[in-house]
Amino acid sequence: MTPEKLEKIRRLAEDTRGDPATRVIALKILARYAKDEEPVFHDVPPAPENPAGMHNAPEYEHYTFMSLRNWGRSKNGNFVHTTSHKGRGYRVVLFVYKTTQTFGWLRVDVASNQETWSGRFSNLEGAHRNAWENLKSI
């Protein structure tokens, strides 16, 4: 949708003189096309230099895992990241439980397709930190 059309829909949604049903529809359209803000965790240091070689430095691995800008998105909006740790490949997914609005993570060993599920967390930051701690404990 073009920015001009979104601006017209925003004006319709904010106009109190118009039809209330039209305002509700315009608000729903605006919510659907709203850009998602990425959560920002302030304790992630700036990107360190990764030394040349086959293995990533631990600081670099921590940075790439904890910065959600490096993560992709699945079709249903979950954060997805593929990483290697101690010579094994892992895919980590941060997701939200739709019914209870709690968060969790899933780690899949790429070679053996073995899944590890987390518990439930009240916020995305808690699930993200726990996924990192669990990956480091392997």
Side-chain angles (χ1 to χ4, degrees):
M1 182 168 292
T2 64
E4 294 83 20
K5 284 187 179 182
L6 279 176
E7 180 61 27
K8 286 181 183 178
I9 293 171
R10 186 189 60 75
R11 285 197 307 262
L12 271 174
E14 293 175 352
D15 187 12
T16 58
R17 299 170 294 160
D19 182 25
T22 305
R23 271 198 314 277
V24 169
I25 293 170
L27 286 170
K28 287 181 181 179
I29 292 171
L30 283 177
R32 185 176 12 167
Y33 285 100
K35 299 205 184 235
D36 289 334
E37 299 275 333
E38 286 188 11
V40 178
F41 304 128
H42 300 288
D43 64 341
V44 177
E49 290 295 321
N50 190 28
M54 294 295 290
H55 298 287
N56 291 336
E59 301 85 25
Y60 185 78
E61 189 177 340
H62 178 260
Y63 171 78
T64 56
F65 193 90
M66 293 306 288
S67 176
L68 288 179
R69 285 177 297 221
N70 298 321
W71 290 54
R73 292 278 188 140
S74 66
K75 286 184 180 178
N76 51 355
N78 296 326
F79 286 103
V80 179
H81 184 67
T82 304
T83 186
S84 63
H85 180 66
K86 295 186 180 177
R88 303 221 25 139
Y90 297 99
R91 185 171 47 253
V92 180
V93 181
L94 298 175
F95 59 90
V96 60
Y97 290 96
K98 302 268 185 213
T99 55
T100 59
Q101 292 301 310
T102 55
F103 298 87
W105 55 263
L106 162 68
R107 186 188 70 229
V108 179
D109 186 338
V110 176
S112 65
N113 207 23
Q114 180 182 0
E115 297 179 350
T116 305
W117 293 83
S118 72
R120 294 180 183 233
F121 299 90
S122 61
N123 58 21
L124 181 63
E125 184 177 1
H128 191 198
R129 288 182 192 282
N130 186 264
W132 170 252
E133 290 167 5
N134 188 277
L135 183 66
K136 293 306 286 182
S137 68
I138 296 175

